[in-house]
Amino acid sequence: MLQQLYIKNFTLIDELEMTFHPGFSVITGETGAGKSIILGALGLLLGQRADAKSIKSGRDRCVIEAHFDVSRYDLSAFFAEKDIDYDATDCILRRELTAAGKSRAFINDSPVPLATMRELGAQLIDIHSQHQNLLLNKEDFQLEVVDTLSGNGEELKAYRLSYSAYRQAVQSLNQLKSEIARNHENEDFLRFQYQELESAQLSADEQSELEQASETMSHAEDIKSALYEADGLLSGEDGIVSRLRSTTSALESISAVYPAARELAERLESCHIELKDISGDVSRYTDEIDFDPAELERINERLDTLYHLEKKHHVESVPELIAIRDDLQRQLSQIDNSDEAVAEQEKEVQRLRAICEEQAGELTRLRTLSARRVEESMRAYLIPLGIPNVRFEVKLASKELSADGHDQISFLFSANTSTPLQPIAQVASGGEIARVMLSLKAMISGAVKLPTIIFDEIDTGVSGKIAEQMAHIMREMGDHDRQVISITHLPQIAALGANHYKVYKEEGAEGTVSHTRQLTAEERVREIAQMLSGENVTEAAINNAKELLKVKK
């Protein structure tokens, strides 16, 4: 849960440090005092988009930092996966903005992508503002509520994996049918291309061998002349081999009286053997080189065939032509066996759909049970909240198989017996929607064990006893290893907080500055009395405030 919040140079805040506590806390202050600034700062720690205009005028950077105790929430796997140091009792999120528009995010002093901060923030804080009431218009939110309360996480995960496999199989089937249709349209052309390449009897190394043979034969006269000359120099009567043999003999003749000559003679003998071998090869090559105009023409015709095929298919080598030939063969085989291929893929689609249908059916069963529990819990919450004749129904309808299953969820609502049930967003007043959302949050918070929940003026449209009952619900939420913070204008809610913070602003030399402080017991009486009576605090308001604070105890 949130332990400490530090803000520096953010909009109207010079420097602010708040220490938070477990349980239910309240934040009060006049409109415009800076309560929304604190929420905006927390929003940046949750990965919201930054704006350089948020930096306090005249400053070059701002810093928002929060410390959390996450020891009860088993987040070690998240930190291990992201390769971030893990400290369960002091998890630090920090965001820095510069006037130049740069933004940096840190978790436990390690730089992280904003997406990582957003992912962790979603597991630490839930900020419920008035615009979240609009979620009641959205079917996916209503489905998410039912799923969360049903505890069907593992079943939903398994279903989504199956559904993904099913959709991929459907996509593969459609692609197969499209490819077969295209291939059928071009079948004659494909067969012509394949036959042309097949009849060419392609060989991967043929082109390089033919090019070398053509080059050799085209220069046969020059090659033969050079080899003949080399042969004469090596093996003629006065050639290198003969003269080397004579040189070796001369050195051998003095080896008895001059030992150094023996080593030289041996070395020359090795050279003689190598040169004699080379001479034999040169002589053989000389005999082999022969200019054959017919053979050269055959080679060049074959090369022309290969070059023509390469140009036609826009490639530069025979292996590429072979790959094209093999692909054409595959396409033709697909045409020849298209019925079997389609039937096999359709069978796979049907198999995967059957799995999805079975798993979706289990989701429907769990959601139906959850829907009945939601209906009962909502009535239990809403009747004490001033809607005695409330009817709340979670309607499940069947829809086409989708990523969430077969179920279409809608919340139906009626505040009195004479009005038929209708979609809640169409008939509920602002105050009724606020009470519905608080009730849903109370149920959800118990299911997901979110460490910190912040309500931003959820009391809109309510007052008196209803507000007090809403405060009791929030206090109960904070009593179960959670932290609940309510930003409120209502004294009935403010009085029930275990901790009370006041946000206020002052005019200074540099303009308006927002401040905050935790109120003492005496300060709370005056703050609540002021909320009751306005700027001129009366004795009656003070007595009323004391009575409200007694209720808290």
Side-chain angles (χ1 to χ4, degrees):
M1 55 188 66
L2 180 62
Q3 295 177 305
Q4 192 174 32
L5 176 65
Y6 174 78
I7 304 172
K8 184 174 183 179
N9 298 334
F10 185 65
T11 63
L12 297 180
I13 296 175
D14 272 336
E15 190 169 24
L16 178 149
E17 188 168 345
M18 297 178 71
T19 300
F20 292 91
H21 307 278
F24 179 44
S25 300
V26 295
I27 299 175
T28 62
E30 295 179 2
T31 301
K35 301 186 294 298
S36 61
I37 297 174
I38 295 172
L39 284 180
L42 283 170
L44 290 179
L45 291 180
L46 299 183
Q48 291 179 5
R49 186 176 178 181
D51 187 344
K53 295 178 182 178
S54 300
I55 300 174
K56 186 172 175 61
S57 179
R59 306 295 196 271
D60 59 356
R61 65 195 290 266
C62 78
V63 177
I64 298 119
E65 181 175 290
H67 294 247
F68 294 86
D69 181 347
V70 297
S71 55
R72 293 176 179 268
Y73 299 98
D74 192 22
L75 295 174
S76 57
F78 173 87
F79 286 83
E81 178 188 346
K82 305 297 183 181
D83 194 23
I84 302 171
D85 291 339
Y86 178 57
D87 186 339
T89 59
D90 189 21
C91 174
I92 305 171
L93 272 65
R94 186 170 78 254
R95 189 88 180 269
E96 298 179 0
L97 311 179
T98 69
K102 293 183 178 179
S103 167
R104 295 195 299 169
F106 301 85
I107 298 176
N108 291 340
D109 290 326
S110 297
V112 296
L114 196 57
T116 300
M117 175 171 276
R118 189 179 299 118
E119 186 178 351
L120 177 60
Q123 300 179 70
L124 299 179
I125 299 180
D126 175 30
I127 298 178
H128 180 91
S129 56
Q130 291 185 49
H131 79 271
Q132 273 201 325
N133 292 339
L134 299 176
L135 291 173
L136 282 175
N137 286 318
K138 299 183 179 295
E139 179 190 329
D140 55 353
F141 170 74
Q142 298 175 15
L143 178 61
E144 185 180 349
V145 168
V146 173
D147 279 340
T148 300
L149 297 173
S150 73
N152 65 6
E154 291 301 319
E155 289 84 357
L156 186 57
K157 182 180 178 181
Y159 169 79
R160 284 175 173 163
L161 288 173
S162 298
Y163 183 75
S164 177
Y166 163 67
R167 291 305 308 166
Q168 289 177 1
V170 170
Q171 185 177 4
S172 296
L173 176 60
N174 292 335
Q175 289 175 344
L176 177 63
K177 288 180 176 178
S178 296
E179 187 174 356
I180 289 172
R182 287 194 303 271
N183 289 346
H184 271 300
E185 292 176 3
N186 300 320
E187 182 177 359
D188 291 342
F189 180 61
L190 292 175
R191 290 196 184 280
F192 170 76
Q193 286 188 310
Y194 172 72
Q195 289 299 332
E196 185 179 40
L197 290 173
E198 176 66 15
S199 62
Q201 296 182 324
L202 302 171
S203 173
D205 299 326
E206 181 184 16
Q207 182 173 329
S208 59
E209 294 172 355
L210 289 174
E211 287 173 340
Q212 182 58 58
S214 175
E215 188 74 11
T216 299
M217 195 169 293
S218 297
H219 298 83
E221 186 175 343
D222 295 335
I223 295 170
K224 194 173 186 70
S225 176
L227 289 172
Y228 185 80
E229 181 181 358
D231 186 40
L233 291 170
L234 284 168
S235 58
E237 290 184 4
D238 194 30
I240 295 172
V241 174
S242 176
R243 295 175 69 183
L244 188 60
R245 177 68 265 180
S246 298
T247 305
T248 303
S249 297
L251 289 171
E252 287 176 342
S253 67
I254 61 171
S255 62
V257 294
Y258 186 61
R262 176 174 286 104
E263 181 185 353
L264 294 171
E266 290 174 352
R267 290 167 64 188
L268 283 174
E269 180 61 24
S270 296
C271 294
H272 174 261
I273 293 171
E274 178 66 15
L275 283 171
K276 189 175 181 181
D277 188 52
I278 292 172
S279 175
D281 287 342
V282 169
S283 179
R284 188 177 74 256
Y285 292 155
T286 302
D287 292 337
E288 289 177 355
I289 293 296
D290 188 24
F291 177 69
D292 183 348
E295 179 62 13
L296 179 60
E297 183 178 0
R298 186 196 68 78
I299 290 172
N300 287 335
E301 285 179 355
R302 178 60 175 171
L303 284 171
D304 286 343
T305 297
L306 297 179
Y307 293 151
H308 168 73
L309 290 173
E310 288 170 357
K311 183 178 181 180
K312 179 177 180 178
H313 293 279
H314 306 289
V315 296
E316 297 181 355
S317 67
V318 173
E320 290 175 289
L321 287 175
I322 292 173
I324 292 172
R325 179 201 64 194
D326 293 345
D327 185 60
L328 288 168
Q329 186 180 39
R330 180 193 64 79
Q331 293 181 59
L332 291 170
S333 176
Q334 193 177 71
I335 291 172
D336 295 336
N337 301 286
S338 58
D339 292 342
E340 293 85 346
V342 169
E344 184 177 345
Q345 187 61 26
E346 285 177 338
K347 185 178 179 181
E348 177 66 4
V349 168
Q350 291 168 3
R351 184 185 73 82
L352 292 172
R353 184 178 178 91
I355 293 173
C356 290
E357 294 281 1
E358 181 179 355
Q359 292 175 329
E362 176 61 12
L363 287 176
T364 299
R365 187 186 71 80
L366 293 172
R367 287 167 176 164
T368 301
L369 294 174
S370 176
R372 303 294 80 83
R373 291 195 295 269
V374 170
E375 292 169 351
E376 293 172 5
S377 297
M378 288 300 288
R379 283 191 288 270
Y381 276 112
L382 292 173
I383 290 173
L385 286 174
I387 315 178
N389 297 315
V390 66
R391 285 180 293 154
F392 189 94
E393 180 182 324
V394 180
K395 182 180 178 182
L396 274 76
S398 183
K399 65 177 183 181
E400 180 56 39
L401 205 63
S402 70
D404 295 311
H406 262 315
D407 304 310
Q408 186 173 10
I409 300 286
S410 57
F411 289 170
L412 304 181
F413 176 84
S414 174
N416 52 69
T417 56
S418 61
T419 304
L421 286 164
Q422 296 184 57
I424 188 168
Q426 298 178 15
V427 296
S429 66
E432 288 167 344
I433 285 179
R435 283 172 272 182
V436 168
M437 286 302 292
L438 176 61
S439 302
L440 289 173
K441 288 283 183 176
M443 287 189 289
I444 291 171
S445 66
V448 299
K449 304 295 183 186
L450 195 68
T452 300
I453 303 173
I454 300 176
F455 290 104
D456 180 19
E457 300 185 5
I458 197 170
D459 47 38
T460 300
V462 298
S463 59
K465 284 291 182 182
I466 305 305
E468 185 178 322
Q469 185 61 34
M470 292 177 75
H472 280 293
I473 291 174
M474 287 186 276
R475 190 168 72 172
E476 288 172 8
M477 291 169 64
D479 287 342
H480 295 87
D481 296 328
R482 283 187 295 276
Q483 182 182 52
V484 178
I485 301 169
S486 176
I487 297 174
T488 182
H489 287 294
L490 295 181
Q492 293 85 355
I493 291 179
L496 265 72
N499 305 281
H500 189 154
Y501 304 86
K502 180 176 181 177
V503 180
Y504 60 97
K505 60 184 178 181
E506 293 180 336
E507 295 295 331
E510 296 185 2
T512 305
V513 179
S514 286
H515 301 280
T516 184
R517 70 172 185 271
Q518 186 171 353
L519 300 181
T520 64
E522 197 172 303
E523 289 172 330
R524 289 192 72 181
V525 172
R526 184 161 187 85
E527 173 69 7
I528 292 171
Q530 188 170 329
M531 295 172 74
L532 286 164
S533 65
E535 192 65 31
N536 298 319
V537 178
T538 64
E539 188 68 26
I542 289 176
N543 291 332
N544 196 359
K546 289 178 180 178
E547 288 299 318
L548 285 175
L549 287 166
K550 284 181 184 178
V551 173
K552 175 177 76 71
K553 298 176 183 179

